[in-house]
């Protein structure tokens, strides 16, 4: 049994595509700012990735689509999602599924929103921003 802490082996990498298991805490994963009012953290595996987003109140993510399958967990806050032309309000504890190539977007409501997004395959575009 190893006596090293979960993060000692690789404290700075957020890519685990090397085939070794990882045990991390969100507080150890670097925070990026891809746009005004958005914070993103990522942990990348071999064929999937998980991202934690913090969105400012009233921020709008325009409708878009991508070839990746996506699942989103609302950790905190409320957002109005448009999925395939249908609007719905999602709150903490809700889980949404976005099949590949389905148009979707979101408007954060009156408080900070924290979302956990899981993508497969990996969003290569996120790695090069």
């Amino acid at each position: 049994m190893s006596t090293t802490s979960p993060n000692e082996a690789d404290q700075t990498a957020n890519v685990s595509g090397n085939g070794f298991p990882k045990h991390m805490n969100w507080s150890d994963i670097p925070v990026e700012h891809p746009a005004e009012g958005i914070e993103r953290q990522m942990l990348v595996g071999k064929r999937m990735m998980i991202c934690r987003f913090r969105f400012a109140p009233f921020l709008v993510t325009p409708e878009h689509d991508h070839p990746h399958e996506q699942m989103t967990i609302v950790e905190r806050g409320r957002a109005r999602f448009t999925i395939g032309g249908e609007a719905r309000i999602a709150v903490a504890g809700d889980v949404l599924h976005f099949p590949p190539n389905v148009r979707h977007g979101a408007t954060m409501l009156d408080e900070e929103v924290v979302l956990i997004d899981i993508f497969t395959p990996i969003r290569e575009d996120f790695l090069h921003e």
Side-chain angles (χ1 to χ4, degrees), residues 20-85:
F20 295 106
K22 281 202 152 308
H23 175 169
M24 300 191 69
N25 187 286
W26 286 117
S27 65
D28 298 325
I29 298 174
V31 176
E32 302 172 344
H33 297 89
E36 181 71 29
I38 301 174
E39 292 183 357
R40 178 178 65 201
Q41 296 169 281
M42 299 185 297
L43 182 62
V44 182
K46 199 168 215 160
R47 292 184 296 267
M48 65 188 301
M49 70 189 308
I50 186 167
C51 301
R52 184 176 191 228
F53 287 94
R54 288 178 182 269
F55 294 101
F58 306 109
L59 187 125
V60 175
T61 61
E63 282 195 43
H64 61 284
D65 59 49
H66 45 72
H68 313 85
E69 185 172 14
Q70 174 181 341
M71 291 199 185
T72 296
I73 302 163
V74 181
E75 185 177 287
R76 183 170 57 229
R78 299 179 320 124
R80 179 182 303 108
F81 282 88
T82 303
I83 305 168

